[in-house]
Amino acid sequence: MSDWDTRKTVGELHEVRVMRELEHRGWTAHRCGQGTYPSAIREALRRSDTALRQFPDLIASRGRDLVAIDAKTSLPSTTSERYAVSRTCVRAGLVFAGANAPIPLFYVFGDLRVLTPAEVAYYTADSWRPASGAYHLVSTARAHRFDEVFGAVVARSASHHTLTERAAPGCT
Protein backbone atom coordinates (compact mmCIF):
# COMPACT_ATOMS: atom_id res chain seq x y z
CA MET A 1 0.00 0.00 0.00
CA SER A 2 1.43 3.40 -0.98
CA ASP A 3 1.84 6.30 1.42
CA TRP A 4 -1.09 8.07 -0.26
CA ASP A 5 -3.28 4.96 0.06
CA THR A 6 -2.41 4.65 3.75
CA ARG A 7 -3.15 8.33 4.43
CA LYS A 8 -6.36 8.09 2.39
CA THR A 9 -7.55 5.07 4.40
CA VAL A 10 -6.78 6.75 7.74
CA GLY A 11 -8.39 9.96 6.52
CA GLU A 12 -11.53 8.19 5.34
CA LEU A 13 -11.93 6.46 8.71
CA HIS A 14 -11.67 9.84 10.44
CA GLU A 15 -14.19 11.35 8.01
CA VAL A 16 -16.66 8.55 8.80
CA ARG A 17 -16.12 9.12 12.52
CA VAL A 18 -16.76 12.87 12.12
CA MET A 19 -19.86 12.16 10.01
CA ARG A 20 -21.24 9.84 12.71
CA GLU A 21 -20.53 12.37 15.45
CA LEU A 22 -22.34 15.02 13.43
CA GLU A 23 -25.31 12.70 12.81
CA HIS A 24 -25.55 12.03 16.56
CA ARG A 25 -25.96 15.79 16.97
CA GLY A 26 -28.72 16.10 14.37
CA TRP A 27 -26.56 17.10 11.37
CA THR A 28 -26.71 15.60 7.89
CA ALA A 29 -23.21 15.18 6.46
CA HIS A 30 -21.92 14.23 3.02
CA ARG A 31 -18.45 13.62 1.63
CA CYS A 32 -16.91 15.97 -0.91
CA GLY A 33 -13.40 16.96 -1.99
CA GLN A 34 -10.35 15.16 -3.31
CA GLY A 35 -11.05 11.83 -1.62
CA THR A 36 -14.26 11.43 -3.62
CA TYR A 37 -12.66 11.89 -7.06
CA PRO A 38 -11.60 9.07 -9.39
CA SER A 39 -7.93 8.08 -9.14
CA ALA A 40 -6.97 9.81 -12.43
CA ILE A 41 -8.24 13.15 -11.12
CA ARG A 42 -6.59 12.65 -7.71
CA GLU A 43 -3.29 11.92 -9.46
CA ALA A 44 -3.56 15.04 -11.62
CA LEU A 45 -4.39 17.15 -8.56
CA ARG A 46 -1.43 15.68 -6.68
CA ARG A 47 0.87 17.14 -9.34
CA SER A 48 -0.75 20.59 -9.31
CA ASP A 49 -0.69 23.62 -7.05
CA THR A 50 -4.42 24.27 -7.15
CA ALA A 51 -6.38 24.99 -3.97
CA LEU A 52 -8.71 22.16 -5.03
CA ARG A 53 -6.19 19.83 -3.37
CA GLN A 54 -7.23 21.34 -0.03
CA PHE A 55 -10.99 21.34 -0.70
CA PRO A 56 -13.00 20.39 2.45
CA ASP A 57 -13.77 16.72 3.07
CA LEU A 58 -17.36 17.11 4.25
CA ILE A 59 -20.34 19.39 3.94
CA ALA A 60 -23.00 19.27 6.66
CA SER A 61 -26.32 20.89 7.44
CA ARG A 62 -28.71 21.08 10.34
CA GLY A 63 -31.84 23.12 9.82
CA ARG A 64 -30.68 26.29 8.07
CA ASP A 65 -27.06 25.90 9.23
CA LEU A 66 -24.52 24.81 6.63
CA VAL A 67 -20.83 24.12 7.32
CA ALA A 68 -17.77 22.76 5.52
CA ILE A 69 -15.36 20.46 7.36
CA ASP A 70 -11.77 19.49 6.71
CA ALA A 71 -11.08 16.36 8.77
CA LYS A 72 -7.47 16.37 9.99
CA THR A 73 -5.93 13.09 11.15
CA SER A 74 -2.65 12.18 12.84
CA LEU A 75 -2.84 15.42 14.74
CA PRO A 76 -2.05 16.63 17.40
CA SER A 77 1.57 15.92 18.09
CA THR A 78 1.88 13.30 20.80
CA THR A 79 4.79 15.15 22.39
CA SER A 80 4.24 18.89 21.89
CA GLU A 81 0.47 19.24 22.40
CA ARG A 82 0.23 21.25 19.19
CA TYR A 83 -1.61 20.74 15.94
CA ALA A 84 0.46 20.99 12.77
CA VAL A 85 -1.53 22.38 9.85
CA SER A 86 0.24 23.05 6.56
CA ARG A 87 0.54 26.67 5.50
CA THR A 88 -0.81 25.67 2.08
CA CYS A 89 -3.89 24.16 3.72
CA VAL A 90 -4.50 27.22 5.90
CA ARG A 91 -4.07 29.59 2.94
CA ALA A 92 -6.54 27.50 0.88
CA GLY A 93 -8.91 27.38 3.86
CA LEU A 94 -8.87 31.16 4.21
CA VAL A 95 -9.59 31.55 0.48
CA PHE A 96 -12.40 28.97 0.67
CA ALA A 97 -13.94 30.68 3.70
CA GLY A 98 -13.76 34.08 2.01
CA ALA A 99 -15.21 32.84 -1.27
CA ASN A 100 -18.01 30.87 0.39
CA ALA A 101 -18.98 33.20 3.25
CA PRO A 102 -21.08 32.93 5.33
CA ILE A 103 -20.50 29.15 5.27
CA PRO A 104 -17.81 28.48 7.88
CA LEU A 105 -14.96 26.02 7.36
CA PHE A 106 -13.89 23.97 10.38
CA TYR A 107 -10.84 21.77 10.86
CA VAL A 108 -11.84 18.74 12.96
CA PHE A 109 -8.74 17.05 14.36
CA GLY A 110 -8.25 13.42 15.34
CA ASP A 111 -9.12 14.21 18.96
CA LEU A 112 -12.42 15.79 17.75
CA ARG A 113 -11.29 19.28 18.69
CA VAL A 114 -12.11 22.11 16.28
CA LEU A 115 -10.45 25.24 14.86
CA THR A 116 -11.10 27.46 11.84
CA PRO A 117 -8.39 28.44 9.33
CA ALA A 118 -8.59 32.02 10.64
CA GLU A 119 -7.99 30.81 14.20
CA VAL A 120 -4.99 28.75 13.14
CA ALA A 121 -3.51 31.76 11.34
CA TYR A 122 -4.30 34.14 14.23
CA TYR A 123 -3.00 31.92 17.03
CA THR A 124 0.30 31.41 15.19
CA ALA A 125 0.76 34.94 13.80
CA ASP A 126 3.20 35.99 16.52
CA SER A 127 4.94 32.66 16.98
CA TRP A 128 8.46 31.96 15.83
CA ARG A 129 8.59 30.24 12.45
CA PRO A 130 11.71 28.95 10.79
CA ALA A 131 12.10 30.20 7.22
CA SER A 132 11.63 26.64 5.97
CA GLY A 133 8.57 26.03 8.18
CA ALA A 134 5.76 24.53 6.13
CA TYR A 135 3.35 24.20 9.07
CA HIS A 136 1.41 26.34 11.49
CA LEU A 137 1.85 24.89 14.98
CA VAL A 138 -1.03 25.82 17.26
CA SER A 139 -1.58 24.73 20.86
CA THR A 140 -4.28 22.11 21.35
CA ALA A 141 -5.51 24.23 24.28
CA ARG A 142 -6.77 26.81 21.73
CA ALA A 143 -9.17 24.36 20.07
CA HIS A 144 -12.89 24.15 20.76
CA ARG A 145 -14.62 21.00 21.94
CA PHE A 146 -16.71 19.31 19.23
CA ASP A 147 -19.90 19.81 21.28
CA GLU A 148 -19.23 23.55 21.62
CA VAL A 149 -19.24 23.93 17.85
CA PHE A 150 -21.72 21.31 16.65
CA GLY A 151 -23.98 20.86 19.67
CA ALA A 152 -24.63 18.05 22.10
CA VAL A 153 -25.72 14.55 21.18
CA VAL A 154 -29.48 14.49 20.62
CA ALA A 155 -31.68 11.71 21.99
CA ARG A 156 -33.22 9.52 19.30
CA SER A 157 -36.03 7.00 19.36
CA ALA A 158 -35.17 3.34 18.86
CA SER A 159 -36.91 3.40 15.47
CA HIS A 160 -34.75 6.28 14.11
CA HIS A 161 -31.62 5.11 12.32
CA THR A 162 -29.21 6.98 10.08
CA LEU A 163 -27.91 5.53 6.84
CA THR A 164 -24.54 4.72 8.42
CA GLU A 165 -26.29 2.56 11.04
CA ARG A 166 -28.50 0.54 8.68
CA ALA A 167 -27.30 -2.89 7.66
CA ALA A 168 -27.36 -3.86 4.00
CA PRO A 169 -30.26 -6.12 2.98
CA GLY A 170 -29.61 -9.67 4.13
CA CYS A 171 -26.96 -8.62 6.68
CA THR A 172 -27.60 -9.17 10.37
Side-chain angles (χ1 to χ4, degrees), residues 31-76:
R31 287 181 139 153
C32 56
Q34 190 176 174
T36 64
Y37 302 148
S39 61
I41 293 173
R42 285 195 316 266
E43 181 62 26
L45 281 172
R46 189 180 66 78
R47 289 178 273 136
S48 78
D49 254 352
T50 178
L52 286 174
R53 290 184 65 185
Q54 303 344 339
F55 200 80
D57 302 308
L58 305 170
I59 188 165
S61 68
R62 182 177 64 188
R64 296 182 65 165
D65 292 328
L66 183 64
V67 299
I69 296 169
D70 197 351
K72 300 289 186 195
T73 56
S74 303
L75 303 168

Side-chain angles (χ1 to χ4, degrees), residues 1-170:
M1 186 178 280
S2 72
D3 185 47
W4 163 252
D5 291 332
T6 302
R7 288 184 300 138
K8 185 175 183 297
T9 299
V10 170
E12 287 174 347
L13 291 172
H14 181 52
E15 289 170 17
V16 168
R17 178 181 179 212
V18 171
M19 287 176 67
R20 285 191 179 139
E21 291 295 330
L22 288 166
E23 288 174 352
H24 293 315
R25 288 157 179 81
W27 291 83
T28 300
H30 189 76
R31 287 181 139 153
C32 56
Q34 190 176 174
T36 64
Y37 302 148
S39 61
I41 293 173
R42 285 195 316 266
E43 181 62 26
L45 281 172
R46 189 180 66 78
R47 289 178 273 136
S48 78
D49 254 352
T50 178
L52 286 174
R53 290 184 65 185
Q54 303 344 339
F55 200 80
D57 302 308
L58 305 170
I59 188 165
S61 68
R62 182 177 64 188
R64 296 182 65 165
D65 292 328
L66 183 64
V67 299
I69 296 169
D70 197 351
K72 300 289 186 195
T73 56
S74 303
L75 303 168
S77 165
T78 55
T79 57
S80 70
E81 296 184 8
R82 295 182 293 184
Y83 301 113
V85 184
S86 80
R87 293 185 181 286
T88 303
C89 182
V90 171
R91 197 168 31 254
L94 291 169
V95 169
F96 178 90
N100 294 285
I103 298 170
L105 171 60
F106 296 106
Y107 296 142
V108 177
F109 298 96
D111 59 358
L112 290 181
R113 305 271 299 177
V114 181
L115 288 168
T116 66
E119 289 172 323
V120 171
Y122 178 77
Y123 293 142
T124 60
D126 62 351
S127 62
W128 177 81
R129 291 184 300 267
S132 63
Y135 291 89
H136 288 276
L137 301 175
V138 61
S139 170
T140 57
R142 297 285 196 169
H144 308 280
R145 289 183 310 105
F146 197 85
D147 288 352
E148 290 173 352
V149 177
F150 300 108
V153 173
V154 294
R156 297 182 302 178
S157 69
S159 64
H160 180 262
H161 297 283
T162 63
L163 289 176
T164 57
E165 295 171 326
R166 289 185 190 140

